[in-house]
């Protein structure tokens, strides 16, 4: 049980703020493969496997090593992968700008509640920074970027999740200790990263992550909940809460 108010909430992005993977990133990867004349098709099932590799460029490399080793002979392979990935990012950003990917239940509500309670909010994500800024602007409006005290994304750290680097970087730039903060994640990999950084973590699952191992999470939920649609508790203690709000977060206990 926390003996004082939390100072900040650190949000993951993909799968947490929005369900971006199946109908967002996956389609953007396939559109980029098409632009590059590649007959690669990341279907829903295969993409679920590939999601174990965090980072789009790393995911492409893993796919090549595992399923398309013939392409590893391409000259200047790192540059080629980077070009392919930036084409994918263009497609993903276009998808976001068409308003096709809404925020998940409770996300807007909780962000506004945290702001009213003067609790800092931050982003700690593996995804490309442009994806984050576009998601926030396309769902919460242009000003929303200024609401976040820190936005930590993509290649700014040497090791991606499940390494703790991105969360440690965010805590450093918040000038806060992990004990004063809570992380909100969607995946086993993200949970491992947050726990390794010393953060108590709330998990909200999605179709790709619901069967993963969330050992160590303070609580595992269907989503953050709305007054009209309470969350479902999948594991851990939510006491009498039926949505994630400031009161619930102030009483989150370490596992
Ligand atoms: C999820 C990821 C990212 C996205 C794709 O990040 O691992 O790689 O799948 O985005 P998180 P990029 O859950 O930490 O938000 O292609 O830009 O990497
Ligand atoms: Mg995620």
């Amino acid at each position: 049980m926390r003996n004082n108010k939390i100072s900040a909430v650190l949000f993951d992005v993909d799968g947490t703020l929005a369900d971006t993977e199946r109908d967002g990133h996956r389609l953007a990867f396939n559109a980029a493969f098409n632009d590059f004349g590649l007959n690669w098709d990341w279907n829903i099932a295969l993409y679920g496997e590939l999601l174990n590799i965090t980072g789009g460029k790393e995911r492409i490399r893993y796919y090549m090593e595992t399923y398309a080793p013939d392409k590893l002979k391409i000259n200047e392979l790192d540059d080629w992968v980077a070009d392919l990935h930036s084409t994918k990012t263009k497609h993903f950003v276009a998808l976001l700008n068409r308003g096709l990917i809404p925020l998940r239940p409770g996300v807007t509500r909780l962000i506004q509640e945290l702001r009213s309670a003067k609790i800092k909010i931050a982003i700690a994500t593996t995804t490309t920074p442009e994806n984050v800024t576009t998601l926030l602007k396309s769902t919460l409006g242009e000003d929303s970027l200024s609401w976040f005290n820190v936005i930590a994304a993509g290649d700014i750290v040497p090791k991606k999740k499940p390494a703790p680097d991105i969360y440690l970087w965010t805590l450093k730039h918040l000038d806060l200790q992990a004990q004063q903060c809570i992380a909100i994640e969607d995946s086993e990999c993200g949970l491992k990263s947050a726990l390794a950084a010393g953060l108590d973590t709330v998990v909200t699952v999605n179709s790709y992550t619901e069967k993963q191992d969330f050992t160590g999470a303070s609580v595992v939920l269907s989503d953050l909940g709305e007054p009209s649609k309470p969350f479902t508790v999948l594991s851990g203690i939510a006491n009498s809460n039926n949505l994630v709000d400031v009161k619930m977060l102030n009483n989150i206990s370490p596992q």
Side-chain angles (χ1 to χ4, degrees):
M1 190 67 79
R2 278 183 183 283
N3 49 19
N4 56 4
K5 186 163 89 98
I6 51 171
S7 302
V9 173
L10 286 66
F11 288 93
D12 165 55
V13 173
D14 293 305
T16 300
L17 289 188
D19 215 346
T20 54
E21 295 290 1
R22 192 191 66 188
D23 301 334
H25 287 299
R26 184 180 68 87
L27 301 183
F29 278 111
N30 286 333
F33 302 155
N34 186 51
D35 291 351
F36 273 56
L38 298 164
N39 66 348
W40 302 350
D41 173 31
W42 288 5
N43 63 37
I44 292 175
L46 171 61
Y47 193 66
E49 174 202 326
L50 299 177
L51 272 175
N52 290 318
I53 312 300
T54 56
K57 292 187 290 297
E58 295 80 349
R59 194 168 300 145
I60 291 168
R61 285 296 292 253
Y62 169 82
Y63 175 79
M64 295 172 79
E65 286 154 9
T66 312
Y67 296 101
D70 56 308
K71 289 288 181 194
L72 291 171
K73 295 191 279 295
I74 288 174
N75 279 342
E76 310 286 314
L77 187 57
D78 282 348
D79 292 345
W80 183 84
V81 169
D83 282 350
L84 178 59
H85 186 253
S86 61
T87 300
K88 172 263 174 181
T89 298
K90 286 193 186 73
H91 283 290
F92 183 68
V93 164
L95 270 171
L96 291 176
N97 282 327
R98 285 166 46 204
L100 295 177
I101 302 182
L103 295 181
R104 292 193 64 194
V107 170
T108 305
R109 171 188 57 74
L110 180 60
I111 286 172
Q112 299 302 14
E113 287 174 6
L114 291 165
R115 293 181 66 215
S116 308
K118 304 273 182 277
I119 295 171
K120 291 181 177 175
I121 54 175
I123 296 277
T125 175
T126 301
T127 199
T128 300
E130 188 184 2
N131 297 343
V132 184
T133 53
T134 308
L135 176 68
L136 294 176
K137 287 192 287 190
S138 66
T139 54
L140 296 171
E142 287 291 325
D143 293 349
S144 62
L145 299 189
S146 65
W147 302 348
F148 292 82
N149 299 78
V150 175
I151 296 182
D155 295 333
I156 52 163
V157 288
K159 289 201 271 18
K160 292 189 165 89
K161 298 175 185 177
D165 299 41
I166 197 75
Y167 278 108
L168 293 172
W169 193 97
T170 307
L171 287 167
K172 179 163 165 272
H173 287 78
L174 284 168
D175 193 19
L176 290 171
Q177 300 297 314
Q179 293 70 16
Q180 300 169 274
C181 307
I182 296 268
I184 302 184
E185 269 284 353
D186 72 301
S187 67
E188 179 179 346
C189 175
L191 170 63
K192 285 197 167 90
S193 174
L195 292 176
L199 286 156
D200 293 339
T201 306
V202 171
V203 171
T204 55
V205 300
N206 54 66
S207 57
Y208 273 129
T209 68
E210 58 193 0
K211 294 191 173 46
Q212 291 180 347
D213 176 1
F214 294 118
T215 305
S218 296
V219 66
V220 181
L221 307 167
S222 54
D223 51 58
L224 293 174
E226 293 286 20
S228 57
K229 195 168 177 303
F231 55 48
T232 305
V233 181
L234 304 174
S235 79
I237 313 286
N239 297 318
S240 56
N241 300 287
N242 54 28
L243 52 75
V244 177
D245 58 9
V246 171
K247 176 172 70 62
M248 178 176 170
L249 292 176
N250 273 329
N251 291 292
I252 285 284
S253 49
Q255 272 314 299

